[in-house]
Amino acid sequence: MNSMIQYSKVTPAVVAELSQIVGEKYIITDKEKMEDYSHDAVTGDKYVSYPEVLVLPGTATEIAAIVKLANREVVPIIPRGAGTGYACAAVAFGGGIMVSTERLDQILEVDEANLLMVVEPGVRTSEVQKAAHNRGFLYAGEPSSGDSSFIGGNVATNAGGIKAVKYGTTRQQVLGIELVTAEGDIVTLGGKVKKDATGYNLAQLIVGSEGTLGIITKVYIKIMPRPQKVMDLLAVFPSVDASIAIVAKILQSGILPVSVEFMDNKGIQCCESYLNEKLPHSDTGNYIIVSIEGDSEDALEDQCVEIDELCSANGASFVLVADPVKIWKARKSFGEANRARSLIFSAEDIVVPVAAIADVVKKLAELGERYQLTIHCVAHAADGNVHADILKEDVPMEEWERKLPLLQEEIYEFVYSIGGKLSGEHGIGYKRLELMEKFTNPVELKLMRAVKTALDPKNIMNPGKIFRVN
């Protein structure tokens, strides 16, 4: 929280006024009922905190009234989606009013003529994908949490996922946003137009802002004709170096894959154990999973042959046509598998130049041995995003809390030395606040703070996330 701003507590009078806005049924103050809202997917007691009151509005107008009340009383507002994030961006450190968007859960329009959908923020990502699919279209945003995450949270954190190689992250799917500003105004930024050079691109400023600049109440997202054919290949390599080296060769071949995913051997075995299902060549192999799509089966088969030949010529032990259900189930279970192995773990979301992934994975293995902590890795290999889960397992808590910051410090010193950054898709939130301030260019932070102050002068909107406002 910002020590220079004196925030007010949520008084009975404020609760009463909130009840008038949304109805008493949608106001929760009982701590036990707020337990699910006291944390996100980040583990550990230090990342648990309760709001003073939880509010479940049903319209943008209600949200605007809540924000105006918070402005008047100088009470923090914490926007909340499904709570599936890995950065504590939707946790109420310091109390305040938590505003859940779960009741704003409607797909408002599927505009086939303009190839877009208009959705409320509380719609699950998988439901957006299903609605597009049922009409013969594709919504290309596909984070691994798609079955549980909300589309509003995807936008707020600029979620990535397995299709980002071809289609980009959530940012590339967004045409417009309806926003309740930090002062309680309702505004539509962008919209149905494909091009817009009318001043600053404010919609894209909101994407990835983690609820610090306003509350998303409607999203305009792109859809496209759904490819008719999809094929998945699994290439198994004996080493990390050989696995990562093939990525550039595939991209340079002229083939544009949908996905190129890496799983290290320890991560494969962890997922195999969690699913209780044998995975191909899991004893020593490292995986590269390549997904391609198109409208011609012959063209895809030609691409598969080319990828097979490239992988085989560059050290692959095996190249298989993958069972898509089995292989993607394994890849998407990575986080859950690590949580099952260790209830407390730290999910790092490193992003580096693509050619440096092997260096990062090897560095993580070296640091894991030195600190005597287990680290499992997967990566969106064609966009340089490495997910490294550091497991506490049976390490005593005092030792874990001493080692983890030191390990993170070494990881990010190395990451920044090779041109990388803290996060590729999970965001900064509260979890990476200190790392953000240590490793980000001071001028860049100054610019971010200037934007925050201009749009949220009282700093009530999700304070203490991404960076401290001085």
Side-chain angles (χ1 to χ4, degrees):
M1 302 288 284
N2 185 354
S3 60
M4 296 179 66
I5 294 177
Q6 295 299 313
Y7 295 103
S8 301
K9 291 292 184 181
V10 176
T11 64
V14 169
V15 173
E17 194 165 341
L18 290 170
S19 297
Q20 290 178 353
I21 294 169
V22 302
E24 189 175 345
K25 177 181 178 181
Y26 299 112
I27 299 290
I28 298 172
T29 57
D30 181 81
K31 191 171 182 180
E32 185 174 331
K33 292 180 180 178
M34 292 193 290
E35 197 279 330
D36 286 345
Y37 299 84
S38 68
H39 58 87
D40 64 2
V42 178
T43 58
D45 291 344
K46 67 185 270 188
Y47 297 119
V48 174
S49 187
Y50 289 78
E52 292 169 83
V53 60
L54 170 65
V55 187
L56 290 79
T59 67
T61 302
E62 290 179 354
I63 292 176
I66 294 165
V67 174
K68 286 178 180 177
L69 169 59
N71 250 289
R72 188 190 77 209
E73 300 295 329
V74 195
V75 175
I77 288 275
I78 302 89
R80 173 100 175 178
T84 59
Y86 276 105
C88 290
V91 181
F93 298 101
I97 302 168
M98 178 169 284
V99 177
S100 171
T101 60
E102 63 195 77
R103 290 181 59 219
L104 281 77
D105 61 356
Q106 298 300 305
I107 295 173
L108 301 173
E109 183 180 3
V110 181
D111 184 343
E112 297 185 15
N114 286 307
L115 291 176
L116 61 86
M117 296 173 67
V118 184
V119 300
E120 291 185 317
V123 181
R124 295 196 186 277
T125 311
S126 57
E127 290 301 314
V128 174
Q129 293 165 333
K130 181 179 177 182
H133 185 276
N134 288 345
R135 291 175 178 245
F137 294 97
L138 169 71
Y139 170 65
E142 190 161 346
S144 294
S145 62
D147 288 341
S148 52
S149 63
F150 290 170
I151 194 70
N154 291 177
V155 175
T157 59
N158 187 29
I162 62 174
K163 291 184 176 179
V165 180
K166 183 173 183 178
Y167 296 112
T169 62
T170 300
R171 182 180 303 282
Q172 280 72 48
Q173 319 312 321
V174 175
L175 289 168
I177 292 170
E178 181 184 85
L179 184 79
V180 173
T181 71
E183 294 182 307
D185 297 316
I186 301 174
V187 62
T188 297
L189 308 172
K192 290 193 173 186
V193 295
K194 298 288 186 183
K195 297 170 68 176
D196 185 357
T198 315
Y200 298 155
N201 192 334
L202 297 176
Q204 289 299 320
L205 176 63
I206 300 305
V207 178
S209 63
E210 301 185 38
T212 62
L213 301 178
I215 301 178
I216 296 164
T217 52
K218 192 183 294 182
V219 188
Y220 297 74
I221 52 176
K222 299 175 187 177
I223 56 176
M224 62 198 74
R226 177 164 49 89
Q228 297 303 304
K229 306 292 182 182
V230 179
M231 297 186 74
D232 301 283
L233 291 178
L234 172 62
V236 184
F237 291 85
S239 70
V240 170
D241 280 339
S243 302
I244 301 304
I246 197 60
V247 176
K249 295 182 185 298
I250 292 172
L251 297 178
Q252 291 163 6
S253 72
I255 295 171
L256 180 57
V258 179
S259 309
V260 183
E261 297 290 300
F262 166 78
M263 298 180 72
D264 76 353
N265 185 252
K266 288 182 180 179
I268 293 165
Q269 292 185 4
C270 184
C271 293
E272 181 179 63
S273 175
Y274 171 70
L275 296 172
N276 193 27
E277 187 173 351
K278 177 66 178 171
L279 295 175
H281 308 288
S282 59
D283 48 347
T284 59
N286 299 273
Y287 285 177
I288 290 289
I289 308 166
V290 182
S291 182
I292 55 176
E293 65 184 16
D295 295 323
S296 165
E297 190 166 339
D298 289 342
L300 289 191
E301 287 180 352
D302 288 344
Q303 290 181 23
C304 283
V305 170
E306 187 173 353
I307 293 169
D308 185 346
E309 291 174 349
L310 279 171
C311 291
S312 298
N314 287 274
S317 305
F318 306 93
V319 182
L320 318 168
V321 175
D323 176 342
V325 174
K326 184 173 183 177
I327 203 66
W328 288 116
K329 182 180 178 183
R331 169 62 186 88
K332 290 183 176 182
S333 73
F334 179 73
E336 291 85 351
N338 286 321
R339 190 186 300 274
R341 177 73 63 88
S342 176
L343 186 59
I344 295 175
F345 68 99
S346 182
E348 306 302 323
D349 179 42
I350 299 157
V351 64
V352 296
V354 172
I357 288 181
D359 295 333
V360 170
V361 174
K362 287 189 292 184
K363 184 69 173 181
L364 288 166
E366 171 201 320
L367 291 172
E369 288 184 15
R370 177 142 55 86
Y371 281 86
Q372 296 185 307
L373 291 171
T374 299
I375 304 176
H376 294 160
C377 292
V378 297
H380 304 303
D383 57 25
N385 191 186
V386 179
H387 295 308
D389 284 0
I390 307 168
L391 312 188
K392 175 183 174 294
E393 297 182 304
D394 57 358
V395 174
M397 183 59 72
E398 183 178 340
E399 183 180 342
W400 166 256
E401 291 181 343
R402 176 180 61 83
K403 283 182 172 181
L404 182 61
L406 298 174
L407 173 56
Q408 288 173 322
E409 184 95 0
E410 289 207 49
I411 289 172
Y412 291 109
E413 288 281 3
F414 179 75
V415 165
Y416 273 77
S417 76
I418 58 174
K421 289 198 171 186
L422 280 176
S423 175
E425 58 186 17
H426 291 169
I428 303 303
Y430 175 80
K431 177 184 175 182
R432 299 181 178 90
L433 184 68
E434 293 182 5
L435 291 166
M436 178 75 168
E437 296 192 340
K438 176 175 177 58
F439 288 103
T440 304
N441 185 301
V443 176
E444 190 175 357
L445 281 176
K446 180 181 177 181
L447 294 173
M448 291 184 190
R449 289 188 175 108
V451 170
K452 170 69 168 169
T453 300
L455 272 63
D456 181 14
K458 291 186 178 179
N459 192 30
I460 65 162
M461 194 60 65
N462 214 8
K465 310 295 168 54
I466 304 181
F467 49 78
R468 297 181 179 90
V469 178
N470 296 328

